Each structure stands twice: as structure tokens, then as C-alpha cells.
Amino acid sequence: MDVALFLLVSSLFISATPTTFVLAEVSQKTWLNEPKESRHQPSDSDKNRKLLEPGIHMTLHHVHRLPTASDLLARDEARVQSINYRRLILKSKTNTITTAAGRTKRSSSATGLVHHKARGDANNSSKSNVSGGDGGVSVGLEPGTSIGVANYYVKMGLGTPVSYYDMLVDTGSSLTWLQCKPCEIYCHPQAGPVFNPSMSKTYKYLTCDTPQCSNLEAATLNAPMCSSLANKCIYEASYGDRSYSVGFLSKDTLTLSSTSNPTLQEFVYGCGEDTQGLFGRSAGLIGFARDSLSMSAQLSPKYGFIFSYCLPTPSTGSSRTGTLSFGRSSLYSNKNSKENATLSNIAVSYALTPMIKDPDSPSLYFLRWTGMTIAGQPLKGVSMLQYQSTPTIIDSGTVISRIPVNIYEPLRDAFIKAMSTRYPKAPSFSILDTCYYTKPRKTAMANGPDGHKKEGIMKILLGVPEVSMIFQGGAELKLRPQNVLIEVENGVSCLAYAANYATNGLAIIGNNQQQTFRILYDVTNSKIGFAAGGCD
């Protein structure tokens, strides 16, 4: 095992015992000083539904402009490796191994041994624009093309008085965290102001003896740390691409709409004093995994453990936005208009498949894959047993779908055959080995703010075969060209699938395949649902 791989694996091991820091040994301790405290049950019965609040709609945006496609794919590959190794570690029950190398060095930043000045705070306000509706709320926002990541984000309100922050949405993570002042160690430059806990009347830190502190190990695969003098619980969230966030486990008032009523009075999250890595210019990350510390779990007593989203693409419409919904709102369509965002009474027709709980990775969302077709034809040489025996998850944070090599190669061969007379082959690009020269075409797009038609370049891909992924119960993802191909350079697009060569044979349905579909996560009833045209 080479050094890089060793460090990657080591960074995911769990310490056998919590680490305690003594403040008297710290030369600079300012950031360790405490700021002053200043179910869903889908049913036809209205009686059951009245037990829970109706829910929330939030607008979800895609960051369309990336530094480079190579950066995107490199980070995506690191994330997949992280998921693979996390699953391997849990399966082999090696979580008692203490890592004295990379993790301890990074955690030592919590003692103030390494100091960087925070930089790049923006002064512009990020308040969200919301209009209420019958049975839910939808949050209208513009896409933030400047924060430089390939994932999706929403505006999250925190504190009293409330301020709003650009937060990445991740179904593969549990803990929500955001950067916090004074950022005495390091905060990466973010869009909008950094959260200042000393300015919130409702902010509190959590002590080391709280149940939430004990739950950090399951949520992050890192044992909690404790500052012995201040008795503050310290979290560490680390990721496979070597990004990480370290800070205080805290609680404050969460607001997901601009109405006067907060969404959750005591929302538990990480207040990050040292965050470094590939988070773009976001303020932090919201965890939606199946874990007690995730946002969706914390909202479940109020709305039920159910949420849905639609991931937008640049061609979705003039607003280029999607929707994130909690509670009963997840089951109904939303008129996604910035001027008049209202919840309609039209139920979404989801194709449902069972949500599988895997003991090796209990926080991830598994489903049972049963088949795959291209241009309506099953892949040659792949049996139903091969699909069913492939552990398969759906993940909002992975961009390119990964499938085991014994299924990927038949898919690639069938796709090449179907495309042979359509587009000329292009060289491989990074992890993508099936690429084509495609040409953009000028087309009239939607009306602009002034009411006039806008001219733009829109990718028109004709003759791309439909790829369909089929799941237990007959639920099906029928993928259109924009879901099948991803543009990596101007005029070059590649098949948005890659082989997962890991020995565990995990399949991951990435966000490129999910775009424009409404995806339902009904954890209470163990169902995952798909509905086409979710961003319309």
C-alpha cells in the first residue's frame, strides 16, 4: 500500500477513546473560549397527517460553473474512494484502530497549535426570498455560480436574529456544520458573511457528556474530542478527498424559511473553527444521511422522517433552480416560480422501491438494483443475480455514477455500438473512457427579467440512446441524454458512468443521473421514489 493510500485509509479510522485537550497547554486559546450564550406516516387518513406539520419546500440550486472538469472528476473519485473505504472499515470492524498519524495531526488544530488567519469574508447579505403557500413553503433563490463546486446547495437560516448561509446538500453525510467566527485556525473564503455565534441570542455549545457528543463517532467515524477546562464537545468531520472541518458541537435556532416561526429551536450542528478542503465558497454542509444527527432526522419529530428533492440542470428553465422539501410537502408538486412559489394539491406520482438498510453502512441509502437497459434492450451477459447482488446506494454528493466493472463493460460496449453512427469518438477524459465530439447549437431560451427572449448556447443531443436503471418493485429511472452524458470540454461529452474497481463492488447512483427527477426518501416507511419532470 503506497503512502497516499495509507493516509487516506488512516484518516477514516476511529479513535478508540476520545481525545482530551488541556487548555493550559495552549499558547493561543481564543477560539476555545465559549461565545457568550446570549412521522411522517404517508397515509390516506387526514387524521394521521394532522399529527405532523405540513412541511417545507426549499429551492435547490446547482453550481453550474466549475473550475475545471478535471477538478470535478478528481474530487468525485476521492469521494467514491472515501465511501468504499468507509464501508470496508465498518465491514471489517477495524474501528478500534487508533491513528496517531494524519488524524491526530489534523485534530491538533483544535488545540490551537496551528493558526491561520481567516480570509475572504464577503460583506453581502444572503437573505432568502420566500413566499408562503397552502400547506408548505418554497424558498426562491438565484443559482450561486461563483462558489465553485459540483454539488447542490440551499440557503439555511441560523441563529437569533437569523442570517442565511449557502450550504451544500449531502445525503452521504450525517453531521451538518458551517464555518464560525472567530475562525482562529482557518476558514476558507465563502460567499456571504461567516456565522458569528456570539451574535446569536440562542446559541449554545454542547458539553462532552451529552448524548449528541457520544453520537459523533457513528456520524463521522471520528471519536469526539473534549476540551477538559471548558467541557466543550469537539467534532471532526473528515472526507476522502482530505477535506475536513473541526470545531465545537453546538445548537441554535434553525430557520428554513423567512416566516416568523423558526423551523427547529435546538438544532444540533458543528460550529467549524478549522475547515479546509474542496468546499468551494460554501459556508458548510448539511447532512441528510440516515443518522440521528442529520438534519432530516432532527426535523422528523415535526415533519416525519421524509424529504425529497429535484436537482436542477442548466437547461431546467430560466431560474435554473430545483426544490428541497420536508414532510408532507415532499409528496406534492410545487409551482417553482420565484415570483409566486406556492404548494399545489397535486400529488406527485412516484415509482417506489424499497429502501434497504445495510448493516455495513447503516447511514447510507441503499436500494435493490434489478436490471439495466440501453435503447430498450437488456445488457448482454448480465444476469438479474449480478444486479441484485450489487450493493447499490443513491447519493446526492457523487457526480458520476459508479458501477462494478462486470456491469460497466457491457454498458459501455452497448453504448458505443448505439452511438457508432451518431457522433465521432473523442479521447478519454480523466476517469471517463467513452467520449464523443458533440457540437452546441444556438437556440432561443426562456424570457429574461425584461420579458425578452434570450439567445444562448444549449446542448442539443439527438440520437443518444435512452439508458434505464430498474429497481425492485419495478421502479425505473429512464435517463434522457442530459442524464446519460456529461460535457467535459466545449464540444466534448462523455458517458456519465465509470467503473468502480473496488473489491466490494459497490454501485453509486450519482447526481448526474438524478438531475430533473424528483427523488423521494421516505425513511419512516423505507421507500425511495422517482418521479420524472420534478423541476418543471
Side-chain angles (χ1 to χ4, degrees):
M1 180 180 297
D2 62 32
V3 175
L5 183 58
F6 172 77
L7 290 175
L8 178 60
V9 177
S10 297
S11 70
L12 299 173
F13 288 153
I14 301 174
S15 176
T17 57
T19 303
T20 300
F21 297 117
V22 180
L23 296 188
E25 299 174 354
V26 181
S27 57
Q28 298 289 333
K29 315 184 283 288
T30 50
W31 81 268
L32 285 174
N33 292 329
E34 169 197 359
K36 292 183 180 179
E37 291 186 22
S38 22
R39 325 181 187 222
H40 169 73
Q41 297 286 343
S43 167
D44 293 332
S45 169
D46 290 335
K47 181 179 179 180
N48 288 340
R49 285 177 177 167
K50 288 179 182 178
L51 297 176
L52 299 166
E53 298 205 20
I56 295 174
H57 275 291
M58 301 177 70
T59 301
L60 191 64
H61 294 279
H62 188 200
V63 178
H64 303 301
R65 296 173 189 168
L66 301 165
T68 66
S70 296
D71 292 339
L72 179 157
L73 294 172
R75 181 183 179 186
D76 203 45
E77 185 65 12
R79 178 183 177 86
V80 171
Q81 289 181 16
S82 174
I83 293 172
N84 284 332
Y85 285 124
R86 178 187 176 101
R87 181 173 166 79
L88 179 64
I89 289 167
L90 290 173
K91 189 171 184 177
S92 59
K93 302 185 186 300
T94 57
N95 57 354
T96 58
I97 297 177
T98 301
T99 55
R103 199 184 81 77
T104 303
K105 180 178 180 181
R106 190 165 61 242
S107 296
S108 70
S109 66
T111 69
L113 298 179
V114 180
H115 293 276
H116 297 279
K117 295 297 182 182
R119 37 183 195 175
D121 289 355
N123 295 319
N124 56 305
S125 173
S126 321
K127 188 172 181 180
S128 111
N129 179 21
V130 183
S131 56
D134 182 15
V137 177
S138 182
V139 184
L141 301 168
E142 295 295 328
T145 58
S146 62
I147 66 176
V149 291
N151 299 320
Y152 298 81
Y153 76 95
V154 294
K155 295 280 188 182
M156 184 185 83
L158 193 66
T160 307
V162 63
S163 295
Y164 291 85
Y165 304 92
D166 295 345
M167 300 287 288
L168 303 178
V169 171
D170 188 3
T171 59
S173 297
S174 299
L175 181 68
T176 297
W177 60 264
L178 82 167
Q179 300 191 121
C180 292
K181 287 185 176 180
C183 286
E184 202 57 39
I185 306 295
Y186 180 73
C187 280
H188 62 259
Q190 71 175 55
V194 175
F195 177 64
N196 188 347
S198 67
M199 300 299 291
S200 173
K201 299 176 184 177
T202 46
Y203 172 84
K204 293 180 181 180
Y205 68 87
L206 290 174
T207 58
C208 304
D209 57 353
T210 56
Q212 295 93 336
C213 188
S214 299
N215 291 341
L216 280 173
E217 189 164 332
T220 66
L221 285 188
N222 293 317
M225 297 167 280
C226 184
S227 59
S228 60
L229 219 62
N231 191 26
K232 296 180 180 180
C233 180
I234 300 174
Y235 76 92
E236 178 186 1
S238 54
Y239 305 92
D241 57 12
R242 303 192 184 181
S243 301
Y244 64 88
S245 175
V246 178
F248 294 122
L249 192 64
S250 308
K251 60 182 178 181
D252 207 336
T253 300
L254 171 72
T255 304
L256 296 179
S257 75
S258 66
T259 59
S260 58
N261 296 324
T263 305
L264 191 63
Q265 294 284 357
E266 295 192 333
F267 175 62
V268 177
Y269 65 98
C271 203
E273 295 281 358
D274 183 16
T275 59
Q276 300 189 46
L278 301 176
F279 304 114
R281 299 184 70 243
S282 66
L285 181 149
I286 302 176
F288 282 86
R290 188 158 49 175
D291 181 88
S292 63
L293 288 181
S294 71
M295 177 183 282
S296 43
Q298 291 187 62
L299 290 174
S300 63
K302 188 173 186 178
Y303 297 116
F305 206 154
I306 180 172
F307 65 95
S308 69
Y309 58 69
C310 179
L311 306 180
T313 66
S315 60
T316 297
S318 59
S319 65
R320 299 184 180 181
T321 61
T323 305
L324 171 66
S325 304
F326 295 93
R328 190 160 56 92
S329 299
S330 301
L331 303 174
Y332 294 89
S333 64
N334 182 54
K335 296 175 182 177
N336 192 7
S337 166
K338 287 184 288 186
E339 290 78 21
N340 185 26
T342 60
L343 180 69
S344 76
N345 294 320
I346 302 174
V348 175
S349 180
Y350 287 104
L352 297 172
T353 187
M355 179 186 293
I356 309 298
K357 190 167 184 178
D358 188 290
D360 296 330
S361 301
S363 66
L364 299 179
Y365 295 103
F366 284 81
L367 60 173
R368 181 155 290 120
W369 194 10
T370 60
M372 193 170 194
T373 64
I374 183 164
Q377 298 299 314
L379 299 186
K380 290 183 178 180
V382 184
S383 66
M384 181 178 290
L385 182 61
Q386 284 179 268
Y387 294 111
Q388 292 177 334
S389 61
T390 299
T392 304
I393 67 169
I394 185 167
D395 179 35
S396 69
T398 300
V399 180
I400 304 299
S401 288
R402 303 305 204 281
I403 53 180
V405 65
N406 63 343
I407 301 178
Y408 173 74
E409 289 180 347
L411 168 65
R412 179 195 60 197
D413 294 345
F415 189 78
I416 290 174
K417 182 178 180 181
M419 292 280 284
S420 60
T421 61
R422 302 292 183 179
Y423 298 95
K425 281 293 298 289
S428 299
F429 187 95
S430 184
I431 61 171
L432 305 177
D433 61 8
T434 306
C435 302
Y436 297 89
Y437 291 108
T438 55
K439 293 182 180 180
R441 165 178 136 185
K442 206 171 199 181
T443 183
M445 300 182 74
N447 288 336
D450 57 0
H452 293 88
K453 290 282 183 181
K454 287 185 174 180
E455 287 289 319
I457 298 298
M458 185 177 182
K459 186 65 62 179
I460 305 296
L461 295 174
L462 302 175
V464 177
E466 182 182 85
V467 175
S468 183
M469 301 185 75
I470 306 163
F471 304 95
Q472 183 180 349
E476 193 170 359
L477 272 176
K478 294 183 178 181
L479 305 177
R480 295 182 289 178
Q482 64 193 39
N483 304 112
V484 176
L485 294 173
I486 184 169
E487 187 177 58
V488 295
E489 291 179 338
N490 187 25
V492 177
S493 297
C494 300
L495 178 65
Y497 284 87
N500 187 359
Y501 291 97
T503 55
N504 60 19
L506 186 69
I508 305 173
I509 303 170
N511 62 45
N512 200 81
Q513 278 64 44
Q514 300 176 51
Q515 288 174 6
T516 73
F517 288 90
R518 190 95 173 262
I519 311 294
L520 175 73
Y521 296 77
D522 183 354
V523 182
T524 301
N525 293 283
S526 297
K527 299 288 185 182
I528 293 175
F530 308 111
C535 295
D536 294 344

